[in-house]
mmCIF file of all heavy atoms in Angstrom:
data_model
loop_
_atom_site.group_PDB
_atom_site.id
_atom_site.type_symbol
_atom_site.label_atom_id
_atom_site.label_comp_id
_atom_site.label_asym_id
_atom_site.label_seq_id
_atom_site.Cartn_x
_atom_site.Cartn_y
_atom_site.Cartn_z
ATOM 1 N N GLN A 127 -41.113 2.596 -38.071
ATOM 2 C CA GLN A 127 -41.178 3.082 -39.455
ATOM 3 C C GLN A 127 -41.004 1.935 -40.447
ATOM 4 O O GLN A 127 -41.563 1.969 -41.543
ATOM 5 C CB GLN A 127 -40.109 4.156 -39.724
ATOM 6 C CG GLN A 127 -40.278 5.441 -38.908
ATOM 7 C CD GLN A 127 -41.490 6.286 -39.305
ATOM 8 O OE1 GLN A 127 -42.337 5.844 -40.079
ATOM 9 N NE2 GLN A 127 -41.597 7.477 -38.735
ATOM 10 N N ASP A 128 -40.263 0.895 -40.056
ATOM 11 C CA ASP A 128 -40.082 -0.272 -40.929
ATOM 12 C C ASP A 128 -41.413 -0.945 -41.263
ATOM 13 O O ASP A 128 -41.530 -1.673 -42.233
ATOM 14 C CB ASP A 128 -39.183 -1.333 -40.247
ATOM 15 C CG ASP A 128 -37.769 -0.807 -40.061
ATOM 16 O OD1 ASP A 128 -37.413 0.168 -40.749
ATOM 17 O OD2 ASP A 128 -37.030 -1.387 -39.243
ATOM 18 N N HIS A 129 -42.419 -0.729 -40.407
ATOM 19 C CA HIS A 129 -43.724 -1.384 -40.601
ATOM 20 C C HIS A 129 -44.724 -0.510 -41.372
ATOM 21 O O HIS A 129 -45.909 -0.807 -41.393
ATOM 22 C CB HIS A 129 -44.323 -1.761 -39.240
ATOM 23 C CG HIS A 129 -43.492 -2.735 -38.467
ATOM 24 N ND1 HIS A 129 -43.700 -4.096 -38.492
ATOM 25 C CD2 HIS A 129 -42.432 -2.548 -37.659
ATOM 26 C CE1 HIS A 129 -42.810 -4.698 -37.722
ATOM 27 N NE2 HIS A 129 -42.029 -3.779 -37.201
ATOM 28 N N GLN A 130 -44.244 0.591 -41.942
ATOM 29 C CA GLN A 130 -45.070 1.487 -42.775
ATOM 30 C C GLN A 130 -46.380 1.983 -42.135
ATOM 31 O O GLN A 130 -47.473 1.803 -42.692
ATOM 32 C CB GLN A 130 -45.438 0.804 -44.103
ATOM 33 C CG GLN A 130 -44.428 1.015 -45.200
ATOM 34 C CD GLN A 130 -43.495 -0.155 -45.370
ATOM 35 O OE1 GLN A 130 -43.950 -1.281 -45.377
ATOM 36 N NE2 GLN A 130 -42.209 0.115 -45.493
ATOM 37 N N PRO A 131 -46.285 2.625 -40.973
ATOM 38 C CA PRO A 131 -47.499 3.227 -40.401
ATOM 39 C C PRO A 131 -47.909 4.452 -41.213
ATOM 40 O O PRO A 131 -47.087 5.028 -41.938
ATOM 41 C CB PRO A 131 -47.040 3.659 -38.993
ATOM 42 C CG PRO A 131 -45.571 3.874 -39.137
ATOM 43 C CD PRO A 131 -45.087 2.893 -40.176
ATOM 44 N N ALA A 132 -49.187 4.858 -41.109
ATOM 45 C CA ALA A 132 -49.632 6.088 -41.783
ATOM 46 C C ALA A 132 -48.967 7.293 -41.118
ATOM 47 O O ALA A 132 -48.606 8.264 -41.778
ATOM 48 C CB ALA A 132 -51.151 6.200 -41.700
ATOM 49 N N SER A 133 -48.824 7.231 -39.792
ATOM 50 C CA SER A 133 -48.135 8.299 -39.067
ATOM 51 C C SER A 133 -47.681 7.760 -37.716
ATOM 52 O O SER A 133 -48.232 6.771 -37.222
ATOM 53 C CB SER A 133 -49.053 9.511 -38.858
ATOM 54 O OG SER A 133 -50.099 9.179 -37.958
ATOM 55 N N VAL A 134 -46.665 8.399 -37.150
ATOM 56 C CA VAL A 134 -46.222 8.045 -35.790
ATOM 57 C C VAL A 134 -46.075 9.337 -34.998
ATOM 58 O O VAL A 134 -45.418 10.276 -35.450
ATOM 59 C CB VAL A 134 -44.846 7.329 -35.794
ATOM 60 C CG1 VAL A 134 -44.427 6.997 -34.359
ATOM 61 C CG2 VAL A 134 -44.887 6.064 -36.620
ATOM 62 N N ALA A 135 -46.699 9.384 -33.839
ATOM 63 C CA ALA A 135 -46.523 10.518 -32.932
ATOM 64 C C ALA A 135 -46.074 9.974 -31.574
ATOM 65 O O ALA A 135 -46.201 8.770 -31.308
ATOM 66 C CB ALA A 135 -47.823 11.301 -32.793
ATOM 67 N N ILE A 136 -45.540 10.854 -30.759
ATOM 68 C CA ILE A 136 -45.062 10.448 -29.442
ATOM 69 C C ILE A 136 -45.775 11.263 -28.379
ATOM 70 O O ILE A 136 -45.891 12.489 -28.503
ATOM 71 C CB ILE A 136 -43.546 10.706 -29.320
ATOM 72 C CG1 ILE A 136 -42.792 9.944 -30.403
ATOM 73 C CG2 ILE A 136 -43.046 10.324 -27.925
ATOM 74 C CD1 ILE A 136 -41.383 10.451 -30.615
ATOM 75 N N ALA A 137 -46.247 10.578 -27.351
ATOM 76 C CA ALA A 137 -46.822 11.268 -26.199
ATOM 77 C C ALA A 137 -46.077 10.793 -24.962
ATOM 78 O O ALA A 137 -45.900 9.588 -24.764
ATOM 79 C CB ALA A 137 -48.313 10.953 -26.078
ATOM 80 N N SER A 138 -45.612 11.737 -24.160
ATOM 81 C CA SER A 138 -44.862 11.350 -22.961
ATOM 82 C C SER A 138 -45.412 12.075 -21.741
ATOM 83 O O SER A 138 -45.764 13.261 -21.819
ATOM 84 C CB SER A 138 -43.373 11.683 -23.147
ATOM 85 O OG SER A 138 -42.628 11.191 -22.064
ATOM 86 N N LEU A 139 -45.464 11.357 -20.634
ATOM 87 C CA LEU A 139 -45.922 11.989 -19.390
ATOM 88 C C LEU A 139 -44.954 13.105 -19.007
ATOM 89 O O LEU A 139 -45.360 14.203 -18.670
ATOM 90 C CB LEU A 139 -45.993 10.930 -18.280
ATOM 91 C CG LEU A 139 -46.452 11.412 -16.906
ATOM 92 C CD1 LEU A 139 -47.889 11.904 -16.937
ATOM 93 C CD2 LEU A 139 -46.293 10.303 -15.864
ATOM 94 N N LEU A 140 -43.642 12.802 -19.072
ATOM 95 C CA LEU A 140 -42.627 13.786 -18.680
ATOM 96 C C LEU A 140 -41.574 13.930 -19.768
ATOM 97 O O LEU A 140 -41.296 12.985 -20.509
ATOM 98 C CB LEU A 140 -41.941 13.358 -17.372
ATOM 99 C CG LEU A 140 -42.821 13.167 -16.141
ATOM 100 C CD1 LEU A 140 -41.989 12.636 -14.978
ATOM 101 C CD2 LEU A 140 -43.515 14.469 -15.743
ATOM 102 N N LEU A 141 -40.975 15.106 -19.846
ATOM 103 C CA LEU A 141 -39.867 15.367 -20.774
ATOM 104 C C LEU A 141 -38.824 16.210 -20.052
ATOM 105 O O LEU A 141 -39.174 17.136 -19.313
ATOM 106 C CB LEU A 141 -40.386 16.123 -22.011
ATOM 107 C CG LEU A 141 -39.315 16.670 -22.964
ATOM 108 C CD1 LEU A 141 -38.584 15.547 -23.704
ATOM 109 C CD2 LEU A 141 -39.924 17.643 -23.984
ATOM 110 N N LYS A 142 -37.543 15.860 -20.272
ATOM 111 C CA LYS A 142 -36.459 16.696 -19.730
ATOM 112 C C LYS A 142 -35.858 17.492 -20.889
ATOM 113 O O LYS A 142 -34.945 17.013 -21.575
ATOM 114 C CB LYS A 142 -35.378 15.812 -19.099
ATOM 115 C CG LYS A 142 -35.845 15.008 -17.897
ATOM 116 C CD LYS A 142 -34.698 14.189 -17.321
ATOM 117 C CE LYS A 142 -35.175 13.244 -16.237
ATOM 118 N NZ LYS A 142 -34.111 12.319 -15.789
ATOM 119 N N PRO A 143 -36.355 18.697 -21.162
ATOM 120 C CA PRO A 143 -35.900 19.455 -22.332
ATOM 121 C C PRO A 143 -34.417 19.817 -22.273
ATOM 122 O O PRO A 143 -33.794 19.976 -23.321
ATOM 123 C CB PRO A 143 -36.764 20.715 -22.326
ATOM 124 C CG PRO A 143 -37.645 20.636 -21.167
ATOM 125 C CD PRO A 143 -37.383 19.409 -20.391
ATOM 126 N N GLU A 144 -33.854 19.941 -21.068
ATOM 127 C CA GLU A 144 -32.417 20.285 -20.963
ATOM 128 C C GLU A 144 -31.540 19.145 -21.473
ATOM 129 O O GLU A 144 -30.404 19.351 -21.880
ATOM 130 C CB GLU A 144 -32.025 20.532 -19.501
ATOM 131 C CG GLU A 144 -32.615 21.788 -18.914
ATOM 132 C CD GLU A 144 -32.497 21.795 -17.390
ATOM 133 O OE1 GLU A 144 -31.691 21.022 -16.820
ATOM 134 O OE2 GLU A 144 -33.239 22.576 -16.772
ATOM 135 N N VAL A 145 -32.062 17.928 -21.438
ATOM 136 C CA VAL A 145 -31.276 16.759 -21.836
ATOM 137 C C VAL A 145 -31.605 16.342 -23.265
ATOM 138 O O VAL A 145 -30.745 15.910 -24.019
ATOM 139 C CB VAL A 145 -31.547 15.565 -20.882
ATOM 140 C CG1 VAL A 145 -30.607 14.407 -21.189
ATOM 141 C CG2 VAL A 145 -31.438 15.991 -19.434
ATOM 142 N N TYR A 146 -32.866 16.481 -23.649
ATOM 143 C CA TYR A 146 -33.325 15.983 -24.946
ATOM 144 C C TYR A 146 -32.825 16.874 -26.078
ATOM 145 O O TYR A 146 -33.204 18.051 -26.156
ATOM 146 C CB TYR A 146 -34.853 15.915 -24.980
ATOM 147 C CG TYR A 146 -35.384 15.302 -26.252
ATOM 148 C CD1 TYR A 146 -35.229 13.956 -26.508
ATOM 149 C CD2 TYR A 146 -35.999 16.086 -27.228
ATOM 150 C CE1 TYR A 146 -35.685 13.384 -27.686
ATOM 151 C CE2 TYR A 146 -36.458 15.535 -28.406
ATOM 152 C CZ TYR A 146 -36.302 14.176 -28.624
ATOM 153 O OH TYR A 146 -36.738 13.629 -29.787
ATOM 154 N N LYS A 147 -31.971 16.333 -26.933
ATOM 155 C CA LYS A 147 -31.398 17.140 -28.020
ATOM 156 C C LYS A 147 -31.650 16.525 -29.400
ATOM 157 O O LYS A 147 -31.034 16.926 -30.384
ATOM 158 C CB LYS A 147 -29.877 17.311 -27.824
ATOM 159 C CG LYS A 147 -29.496 18.037 -26.545
ATOM 160 C CD LYS A 147 -29.970 19.498 -26.544
ATOM 161 C CE LYS A 147 -29.755 20.144 -25.181
ATOM 162 N NZ LYS A 147 -30.792 21.069 -24.763
ATOM 163 N N LYS A 148 -32.535 15.555 -29.491
ATOM 164 C CA LYS A 148 -32.805 14.919 -30.788
ATOM 165 C C LYS A 148 -33.760 15.795 -31.616
ATOM 166 O O LYS A 148 -34.478 16.624 -31.061
ATOM 167 C CB LYS A 148 -33.459 13.554 -30.585
ATOM 168 C CG LYS A 148 -32.697 12.652 -29.647
ATOM 169 C CD LYS A 148 -31.880 11.676 -30.426
ATOM 170 C CE LYS A 148 -31.226 10.708 -29.461
ATOM 171 N NZ LYS A 148 -29.927 10.252 -29.888
ATOM 172 N N SER A 149 -33.762 15.539 -32.929
ATOM 173 C CA SER A 149 -34.626 16.345 -33.790
ATOM 174 C C SER A 149 -36.059 15.807 -33.839
ATOM 175 O O SER A 149 -36.993 16.518 -34.211
ATOM 176 C CB SER A 149 -34.052 16.394 -35.208
ATOM 177 O OG SER A 149 -33.816 15.083 -35.660
ATOM 178 N N LEU A 150 -36.233 14.562 -33.455
ATOM 179 C CA LEU A 150 -37.571 13.945 -33.456
ATOM 180 C C LEU A 150 -38.496 14.730 -32.516
ATOM 181 O O LEU A 150 -38.195 14.883 -31.333
ATOM 182 C CB LEU A 150 -37.426 12.504 -32.947
ATOM 183 C CG LEU A 150 -38.627 11.585 -32.990
ATOM 184 C CD1 LEU A 150 -38.949 11.222 -34.429
ATOM 185 C CD2 LEU A 150 -38.326 10.315 -32.185
ATOM 186 N N PRO A 151 -39.636 15.235 -33.044
ATOM 187 C CA PRO A 151 -40.508 16.002 -32.148
ATOM 188 C C PRO A 151 -41.245 15.113 -31.139
ATOM 189 O O PRO A 151 -41.683 14.014 -31.492
ATOM 190 C CB PRO A 151 -41.506 16.663 -33.112
ATOM 191 C CG PRO A 151 -41.464 15.858 -34.358
ATOM 192 C CD PRO A 151 -40.136 15.163 -34.424
ATOM 193 N N ILE A 152 -41.322 15.572 -29.913
ATOM 194 C CA ILE A 152 -42.155 14.884 -28.907
ATOM 195 C C ILE A 152 -43.483 15.634 -28.949
ATOM 196 O O ILE A 152 -43.603 16.750 -28.453
ATOM 197 C CB ILE A 152 -41.524 14.938 -27.495
ATOM 198 C CG1 ILE A 152 -40.052 14.482 -27.534
ATOM 199 C CG2 ILE A 152 -42.339 14.066 -26.522
ATOM 200 C CD1 ILE A 152 -39.835 13.063 -28.019
ATOM 201 N N ASP A 153 -44.475 15.017 -29.593
ATOM 202 C CA ASP A 153 -45.680 15.735 -29.989
ATOM 203 C C ASP A 153 -46.562 16.170 -28.822
ATOM 204 O O ASP A 153 -47.164 17.229 -28.842
ATOM 205 C CB ASP A 153 -46.506 14.858 -30.945
ATOM 206 C CG ASP A 153 -45.654 14.387 -32.120
ATOM 207 O OD1 ASP A 153 -44.990 13.333 -32.000
ATOM 208 O OD2 ASP A 153 -45.616 15.091 -33.132
ATOM 209 N N PHE A 154 -46.674 15.298 -27.822
ATOM 210 C CA PHE A 154 -47.544 15.597 -26.682
ATOM 211 C C PHE A 154 -46.768 15.344 -25.389
ATOM 212 O O PHE A 154 -46.271 14.236 -25.171
ATOM 213 C CB PHE A 154 -48.786 14.700 -26.695
ATOM 214 C CG PHE A 154 -49.546 14.739 -27.997
ATOM 215 C CD1 PHE A 154 -49.360 13.747 -28.962
ATOM 216 C CD2 PHE A 154 -50.455 15.754 -28.259
ATOM 217 C CE1 PHE A 154 -50.061 13.773 -30.158
ATOM 218 C CE2 PHE A 154 -51.161 15.790 -29.454
ATOM 219 C CZ PHE A 154 -50.971 14.803 -30.406
ATOM 220 N N VAL A 155 -46.687 16.355 -24.542
ATOM 221 C CA VAL A 155 -45.967 16.222 -23.264
ATOM 222 C C VAL A 155 -46.866 16.749 -22.157
ATOM 223 O O VAL A 155 -47.385 17.871 -22.255
ATOM 224 C CB VAL A 155 -44.654 17.043 -23.291
ATOM 225 C CG1 VAL A 155 -43.963 16.989 -21.941
ATOM 226 C CG2 VAL A 155 -43.725 16.538 -24.387
#
Side-chain angles (χ1 to χ4, degrees):
Q127 296 291 10
D128 294 341
H129 298 265
Q130 271 99 45
S133 68
V134 179
I136 302 163
S138 186
L139 180 64
L140 301 175
L141 170 69
K142 296 181 187 173
E144 291 165 18
V145 187
Y146 185 70
K147 298 295 172 217
K148 307 260 185 213
S149 53
L150 187 70
I152 310 299
D153 306 87
F154 307 98
V155 176

